[in-house]
Amino acid sequence: MSITSGHHFPRRWRSLLVSISLSCALMSAAVQAEPSQEAKWVTLGTGSGPLSFFGRGQSANLLRASGQLILVDAGDGATEELIRNGVVLDDVSTVFISHLHFDHTGGLFAFLGRRFQARQNSPITIYGPPGIKRTIDGLIAAMQPMNDAKGSKSVFAMLGDAKPGDNVKTIELADGSQVKIGDIRITTATNSHYVMSDEKGTGNHSFALRFDAPGRSIVYTGDTGPSEKVDKLAKGADLLVAEIMDADKELDRISRSGLKINFALAAVAKPILREHLVKEHLSPDDVGSMAQRAGVRALVLTHIALGPDEFEPARKRIAASYPGPTTFAQDGGAY
Ligand SMILES: [Zn+2]
Ligand SMILES: [Zn+2]
């Protein structure tokens, strides 16, 4: 077997060779999703964007179910957190993106780039809203200059003529789409995260996602405001993974942040920003009502736009309508 005929070289060996050559060893304890294991939801990044919350990465999750590893949203830091959790990148063969805000997509370049650089580029399918294809095509185009720069004697040249877009497939979904990955059924519902910005019919979509795996159903709200469609999607789920925000506390944080987003606090724009936070995100009261109406068995909170001292007041507001177990997620937590 010749090293130069890269496509005859088992992909694990090729990955390992590149990793050793680049002095960046792969994690030894690879995490596989055993077919018999109960579905688990791992919150890789539990922060809300665009503000940063110390100790919380931007939105990213891993569903481990039924022999599959599915990345759900890929905010900045997602790839590092996958590796920290012992995941070999090309064992993730499916990605779902809920919507195109950067706090949910910013890690895609690192994810695709690192897979390609280490030739961990087994087939992957990326599902998302309209616009995800343009996003992924752009990222693949941005990977090309690195590939063009490889010399004939580089390790990459020895591994054959792979291209950044090889094995990457992108599929745009619609409201109510259903996808089957192994024996997991995924259903989309357009939520209310763009209820203000989509008034001109831009075609923007933001999805809540339901994952029905054998023995366990998990619903991820994505970013949303109160939404009858999400209530319906979540009906009877074993686990609801919901975003949470206190609009007034978030406005205070934004005004203190020094970010250019402060322009929004000018007299005219501030009411619009507040309306966005109220209608297009979930307050603790909204989360409690949603969980109660849907009758879910447990609630996990992520995309947390709350300071640590705001957790207990929020928990009380949720408990006013939802009596079930409620957990504030941590980066790397499994639920
Ligand atoms: Zn977000
Ligand atoms: Zn968003």
Side-chain angles (χ1 to χ4, degrees), residues 1-334:
M1 185 181 298
S2 156
I3 288 181
T4 51
S5 58
H7 54 286
H8 291 137
F9 211 56
R11 84 177 150 81
R12 288 293 168 130
W13 295 11
R14 278 190 282 137
S15 295
L16 196 60
L17 174 69
V18 173
S19 298
I20 291 166
S21 302
L22 299 177
S23 303
C24 50
L26 292 169
M27 293 290 292
S28 54
V31 171
Q32 299 282 355
E34 296 301 328
S36 57
Q37 269 179 352
E38 189 189 46
K40 279 279 179 199
W41 185 270
V42 181
T43 48
L44 301 169
T46 57
S48 156
L51 291 183
S52 299
F53 285 81
F54 182 74
R56 296 187 185 276
Q58 300 232 294
S59 272
N61 307 272
L62 178 73
L63 176 67
R64 265 200 317 245
S66 207
Q68 303 285 336
L69 296 176
I70 301 177
L71 180 61
V72 186
D73 280 342
D76 191 16
T79 306
E80 206 53 43
E81 194 61 32
L82 281 172
I83 293 167
R84 206 172 286 132
N85 278 272
V87 174
V88 173
L89 296 184
D90 61 354
D91 285 339
V92 179
S93 55
T94 311
V95 179
F96 280 86
I97 297 295
S98 65
H99 67 297
L100 298 179
H101 283 160
F102 287 153
D103 56 312
H104 299 253
T105 61
L108 280 171
F109 192 46
F111 178 70
L112 293 173
R114 287 174 69 152
R115 280 171 46 101
F116 179 67
Q117 189 173 17
R119 293 298 190 272
Q120 292 178 284
N121 54 338
S122 56
I124 187 159
T125 307
I126 301 169
Y127 297 90
I132 191 67
K133 185 150 177 30
R134 211 147 46 97
T135 302
I136 299 300
D137 286 351
L139 295 177
I140 288 169
M143 287 157 69
Q144 192 57 46
M146 183 208 81
N147 202 38
D148 292 344
K150 67 175 188 278
S152 61
K153 287 185 182 162
S154 76
V155 69
F156 296 112
M158 290 163 64
L159 290 170
D161 195 23
K163 295 186 181 61
D166 287 353
N167 292 336
V168 180
K169 192 171 164 189
T170 312
I171 296 178
E172 298 192 339
L173 301 172
D175 184 27
S177 291
Q178 291 212 334
V179 177
K180 202 89 193 289
I181 308 291
D183 50 12
I184 308 167
R185 189 178 68 244
I186 298 98
T187 310
T188 68
T190 301
N191 62 30
S192 62
H193 190 46
Y194 290 143
V195 74
M196 289 167 64
S197 57
D198 201 31
E199 63 190 1
K200 288 181 185 159
T202 55
N204 283 344
H205 278 61
S206 172
F207 292 135
L209 298 160
R210 180 178 179 120
F211 299 85
D212 286 294
R216 197 163 189 231
S217 51
I218 300 175
V219 173
Y220 171 58
T221 63
D223 287 12
T224 187
S227 161
E228 283 179 18
K229 287 170 85 168
V230 181
D231 293 352
K232 200 171 152 205
L233 186 76
K235 203 84 191 159
D238 294 308
L239 179 65
L240 176 64
V241 181
E243 72 134 287
I244 187 162
M245 170 182 289
D246 183 306
D248 290 316
K249 295 260 169 54
E250 186 70 357
L251 273 178
D252 284 350
R253 264 188 291 275
I254 291 169
S255 66
R256 292 195 311 266
S257 69
L259 294 184
K260 284 189 178 161
I261 201 170
N262 274 333
F263 81 92
L265 294 177
V268 177
K270 186 171 180 178
I272 295 175
L273 179 58
R274 189 172 191 286
E275 193 182 352
H276 157 67
L277 297 179
V278 169
K279 286 188 176 169
E280 300 186 331
H281 287 283
L282 292 174
S283 72
D285 313 295
D286 296 332
V287 171
S289 319
M290 180 179 278
Q292 185 272 330
R293 278 194 298 268
V296 298
R297 293 181 64 182
L299 177 62
V300 163
L301 302 163
T302 190
H303 200 278
I304 299 172
L306 298 175
D309 57 329
E310 296 160 38
F311 284 16
E312 281 319 303
R315 195 187 287 282
K316 287 200 180 91
R317 284 165 65 184
I318 291 167
S321 47
Y322 176 68
T326 300
T327 307
F328 285 88
Q330 297 289 343
D331 287 15

